[in-house]
Amino acid sequence: MKFLDLVRLVAGNLSRRKARVALTAIGVVIGTAAVVILVSLAIGLQQSANEQLYGIGDLTQIQVSPSYGGEGGPVVSVGGGGGGGGFPASDEVKLLTNSVLEEFRAIPGVESVIPREYLMSGALMKFQKMESYVNIIGIGTDDIADLGDSAEQGTTELGRGRIVIGVTVPQSFYDPYLRPGQEPSPPPELFDQQVQMVVIKYDSNGNEIRKNVALRVTGVLAETRGESDWTVYMPLEQVKQLNEWSQNRRFNYNKDGYGMVIVKVGDVDKVIEIADQITAMGFQAFTPQSFLEGINNFFIVLQIIFGGVGAIALLVAAIGIANTMAMSILERTKEIGLMKAVGATNRDVLAIFLGEAAGIGFLGGLGGVIIGWLASQGINVLAMVYLANQASEQGGAPPSIAVSTPLWLPIFALVFSTLVGMFSGLYPALRAATMIPVLALKYE
Amino acid sequence: MGKPFIRIVGLKKHFEMGGQTVRALDGVDVEIEAGTFTVVMGPSGSGKSTLLYLLGGLDRPTSGEIAIEGERLDQMDENALALFRRRAMGFVFQSFNLVTSMTALENVAFPMQFAGVAAASRRERALGLLNQVGLANRADHRPSELSGGQQQRVAIARALVNNPKLVLADEPTGNLDTTSGSAIMHVLSDLHKAGRTVLVVTHDPRMTRFATHKIHLLDGHIVTEAEYEAAALEAMQVE
């Protein structure tokens, strides 16, 4: 039997039982629509979450810090076990000394190892009549580009007395002598300007001691929506000197180690593997990727659960199809006998009835995809209005999408509902195909 | 002497019903030549329909041989039987067995779908056959819009659509009034005159007028005409 003839025959058989086919297909419509809506919702949630998390950091970076006891239970246990020296992790903390940095550099796949240090005292940055308390990080490289950042203005290169600032840093500047009712000044244009930094420490009597440092802004970094946006980068050596001045002690990186080290990995796929390796060496390794991965895993589970809820509806629909087909085959037993008498093989009969069951699944799937898609769009509109209101009340950017239907989803749903139809028709169709012709013909 | 067209040897068909073995056919030997018009006579329960269905490959024998042009039906699997029916058999049933949702034309063309004939030639051939049975003007009518006699003529056209060697008719006049019944008999007789082998199962004695051969069945056995008449007479006396 030719495929086109089969399709035509199946379509004809379905169209002569319109009411029954429609009623059976409604179950499939509901199931498919549920799958499309729920999975779209899960995907939409994932997208808006990723959107909000975007800029959590460069995915090829691992932030390594010493594993201080008591902080982060599993890390300690891994450090203790992996350190292997037999010492209790809480007593002797492995520090990020220069020799350890060399060990990191020796790990295959590691591109660079960059130490960094916070300024340990308060620092007020002044420009003209405006000022701001800023986040200052000393970084152990001559070029911030090594961290994956690029300059929006000027350069990413650092030097003594030269700083590179994040793009939102100027927005934190304010005029301390602003009178009430006076219009606040716009954020200053800091690029290529000289700024004064006032570092403050207190002596043993509680007297404030100030130290002024003149700095030139030689670069503004492009937006990353991460930490670098509100950070002022200085050479590590200069931050070290300021820290020594404010803490009244000397720092020896060979003995005391760095506060934090950034390990940059060449291949994104190796990041987690290398982070695990560093953890096993007894350090605390944080990578934004492992965080993102966990979140993405959560959303995949969510999609499966949501899809599963829809699939239950489809399962009920499948039972409906099986029932309809079983009834239909009983009613058409004589017709089956006749088909066999005029030369239909078991295979032909099987194909016809499987085709009818698949046809019901397909029609229901088509309806479900259309309804599901329309409903998703409707939910999107309603949710966006609600979320935008929420965001404006609580501050923060509203998500740009609530429900997202990727192209593969309706196609998958349609194929799946057709297969569900076909599968539920399998048993009735097999029964029809294997009927003994003479008994089928004589069936009353 | 050539092989006979149909050769049946020691054919038995037994089945269980209510714990008892019913011997529908109990050792039948028949040879039928090509181009004959054979009428199988017998009261109900004599096994005549069983014989027809076994001959048509719609049922499997318990034992014995059925050969049509040397092809052993009893040794074929279901698929081969289906292909054989498609190629060599045309069936006419007592209750017509038309598909009610299809027009006369579609009913006639239906078997050709399984044979994979192209749609255009299906239509052409079906129209030709409807014309042959005098129903060309009813091609687009559904069975419910046709009389019993017309429906049976559609069924005969359908039986001929794959150009079968053998036409098997099971009580073709059983559901028809006398006039339509004799019209159907004439159609079947015309098929025979056109050179086809026709086998009709009936208990309508009028059919024997057209027959070249007669087979009488009683309780699953072939009997002579004299034995058959005697038994019929006996049955009447009992009543």
Side-chain angles (χ1 to χ4, degrees):
Chain A
M1 197 171 183
K2 285 181 185 155
F3 183 71
L4 205 65
D5 284 336
L6 175 68
V7 172
R8 237 182 255 152
L9 184 64
V10 164
N13 285 347
L14 289 179
S15 73
R16 66 174 141 133
R17 277 172 273 267
K18 285 191 187 75
R20 188 187 299 176
V21 168
L23 287 174
T24 312
I26 283 174
V28 185
V29 171
I30 293 170
T32 311
V35 168
V36 170
I37 294 169
L38 290 172
V39 174
S40 295
L41 197 60
I43 292 173
L45 283 175
Q46 180 174 17
Q47 280 184 4
S48 53
N50 275 349
E51 205 170 85
Q52 310 265 318
L53 291 168
Y54 169 78
I56 193 166
D58 184 342
L59 292 181
T60 57
Q61 285 183 16
I62 304 169
Q63 295 175 11
V64 184
S65 45
S67 175
Y68 297 108
E71 207 179 289
V75 179
V76 171
S77 73
V78 170
F87 57 84
S90 52
D91 284 357
E92 200 173 326
V93 173
K94 281 190 93 176
L95 296 169
L96 290 164
T97 58
N98 279 324
S99 62
V100 168
L101 263 54
E102 285 311 313
E103 281 177 49
F104 290 166
R105 288 196 179 96
I107 297 174
V110 169
E111 218 166 53
S112 54
V113 177
I114 303 164
R116 54 176 254 185
E117 206 68 74
Y118 285 102
L119 187 68
M120 292 171 176
S121 52
L124 184 67
M125 200 164 272
K126 288 187 171 183
F127 176 70
Q128 292 166 357
K129 58 177 184 177
M130 301 184 83
E131 58 186 44
S132 171
Y133 287 94
V134 292
N135 180 38
I136 294 174
I137 290 177
I139 195 97
T141 173
D142 298 334
D143 195 343
I144 310 251
D146 290 350
L147 292 175
D149 286 307
S150 58
E152 192 180 75
Q153 281 177 301
T155 174
T156 53
E157 279 170 43
L158 289 171
R160 191 164 180 87
R162 292 161 58 184
I163 56 171
V164 173
I165 63 172
V167 71
T168 58
V169 168
Q171 287 167 26
S172 66
F173 277 73
Y174 61 95
D175 183 355
Y177 304 111
L178 193 71
R179 281 188 294 275
Q182 203 178 339
E183 195 66 16
S185 316
E189 186 60 51
L190 293 177
F191 174 61
D192 212 19
Q193 299 290 335
Q194 188 86 21
V195 295
Q196 288 294 321
M197 186 171 76
V198 182
V199 187
I200 303 152
K201 73 168 178 180
Y202 301 89
D203 67 10
S204 49
N205 298 324
N207 295 323
E208 195 179 86
I209 308 173
R210 291 175 167 241
K211 184 185 174 90
N212 285 325
V213 184
L215 299 165
R216 176 163 283 275
V217 179
T218 54
V220 178
L221 294 176
E223 188 179 22
T224 62
R225 298 179 78 168
E227 185 191 31
S228 65
D229 283 357
W230 64 86
T231 298
V232 171
Y233 288 101
M234 283 174 84
L236 182 69
E237 194 52 31
Q238 201 169 3
V239 169
K240 182 190 171 198
Q241 283 169 10
L242 290 169
N243 281 343
E244 283 174 343
W245 172 79
S246 69
Q247 305 296 312
N248 292 320
R249 57 177 279 225
R250 301 205 75 78
F251 288 104
N252 182 352
Y253 288 134
N254 288 323
K255 223 176 97 221
D256 305 326
Y258 299 95
M260 183 186 271
V261 167
I262 291 175
V263 175
K264 190 136 169 68
V265 178
D267 184 0
V268 179
D269 295 336
K270 283 192 151 176
V271 170
I272 292 193
E273 187 192 319
I274 290 172
D276 287 345
Q277 226 168 312
I278 291 170
T279 308
M281 286 164 72
F283 298 98
Q284 201 164 350
F286 171 81
T287 135
Q289 216 196 359
S290 60
F291 184 59
L292 277 185
E293 198 152 280
I295 288 188
N296 276 326
N297 281 344
F298 166 75
F299 279 109
I300 286 168
V301 170
L302 195 69
Q303 276 174 44
I304 292 170
I305 291 172
F306 276 17
V309 171
I312 289 172
L314 264 182
L315 182 73
V316 175
I319 295 167
I321 294 177
N323 186 33
T324 298
M325 290 309 295
M327 295 288 293
S328 173
I329 278 152
L330 268 188
E331 281 169 18
R332 288 155 72 191
T333 302
K334 270 197 130 163
E335 193 183 315
I336 295 163
L338 173 85
M339 288 197 274
K340 293 194 155 195
V342 300
T345 58
N346 288 4
R347 243 186 140 149
D348 290 329
V349 176
L350 186 72
I352 289 167
F353 284 96
L354 275 185
E356 289 184 21
I360 296 176
F362 177 80
L363 290 174
L366 200 63
V369 163
I370 292 170
I371 289 176
W373 188 79
L374 288 176
S376 298
Q377 297 308 307
I379 292 173
N380 219 359
V381 170
L382 292 178
M384 288 323 295
V385 171
Y386 175 75
L387 288 174
N389 282 341
Q390 285 261 319
S392 66
E393 273 169 27
Q394 295 166 3
S400 62
I401 197 154
V403 182
S404 167
T405 312
L407 184 65
W408 63 262
L409 182 60
I411 294 171
F412 166 81
L414 201 55
V415 171
F416 188 66
S417 61
T418 307
L419 286 178
V420 163
M422 203 189 253
F423 188 74
S424 21
L426 193 61
Y427 170 68
L430 271 174
R431 257 187 30 188
T434 53
M435 277 180 185
I436 297 166
V438 67
L439 296 182
L441 278 166
K442 286 180 171 170
Y443 183 85
E444 293 298 336
Chain B
M1 179 187 149
K3 274 187 186 168
F5 181 64
I6 299 172
R7 191 180 125 92
I8 293 173
V9 181
L11 187 66
K12 291 186 182 177
K13 177 69 182 177
H14 298 172
F15 47 85
E16 299 292 321
M17 198 186 267
Q20 281 188 314
T21 304
V22 177
R23 297 163 190 269
L25 288 179
D26 203 13
V28 168
D29 303 279
V30 184
E31 290 191 355
I32 296 171
E33 298 299 327
T36 53
F37 191 121
T38 307
V39 170
V40 181
M41 305 277 293
S44 52
S46 60
K48 57 186 194 306
S49 287
T50 307
L51 179 65
L52 179 126
Y53 287 119
L54 286 172
L55 202 49
L58 293 171
D59 206 355
R60 319 298 301 253
T62 308
S63 66
E65 292 177 17
I66 310 167
I68 295 179
E69 284 196 314
E71 292 192 73
R72 289 281 296 274
L73 265 58
D74 54 291
Q75 290 175 348
M76 288 183 186
D77 65 15
E78 283 203 43
N79 197 48
L81 273 178
L83 297 178
F84 189 80
R85 288 194 294 265
R86 183 187 292 178
R87 195 173 74 233
M89 304 280 184
F91 290 96
V92 180
F93 303 98
Q94 179 174 1
S95 53
F96 325 134
N97 279 346
L98 298 178
V99 180
T100 50
S101 60
M102 292 182 184
T103 64
L105 186 74
E106 287 166 343
N107 264 294
V108 176
F110 189 46
M112 287 190 284
Q113 288 199 14
F114 299 113
V117 180
S121 31
R122 287 206 299 256
R123 192 184 154 77
E124 196 182 324
R125 174 146 179 79
L127 266 177
L129 283 166
L130 277 177
N131 195 34
Q132 202 178 315
V133 295
L135 286 174
N137 57 339
R138 302 284 164 139
D140 294 326
H141 288 57
R142 288 177 199 282
S144 55
E145 299 158 349
L146 297 172
S147 73
Q150 286 170 331
Q151 288 189 51
Q152 193 60 301
R153 277 189 276 162
V154 173
I156 292 172
R158 180 181 64 193
L160 298 177
V161 84
N162 284 335
N163 201 17
K165 297 168 190 159
L166 177 62
V167 176
L168 296 171
D170 183 16
E171 305 272 12
T173 59
N175 282 8
L176 300 176
D177 59 66
T178 331
T179 324
S180 335
S182 27
I184 292 301
M185 287 178 206
H186 278 102
V187 174
L188 289 171
S189 170
D190 289 344
L191 295 183
H192 164 236
K193 283 175 191 151
R196 283 181 209 279
T197 311
V198 180
L199 187 141
V200 181
V201 163
T202 185
H203 51 237
D204 186 345
R206 293 179 303 158
M207 198 62 111
T208 54
R209 272 194 294 154
F210 304 98
T212 57
H213 293 76
K214 284 181 265 184
I215 295 171
H216 295 96
L217 273 176
L218 271 183
D219 302 328
H221 295 278
I222 292 184
V223 295
T224 63
E225 191 166 1
E227 286 171 314
Y228 184 76
E229 298 290 340
L233 208 63
E234 202 178 302
M236 272 159 77
Q237 281 166 350
V238 170
E239 279 171 26

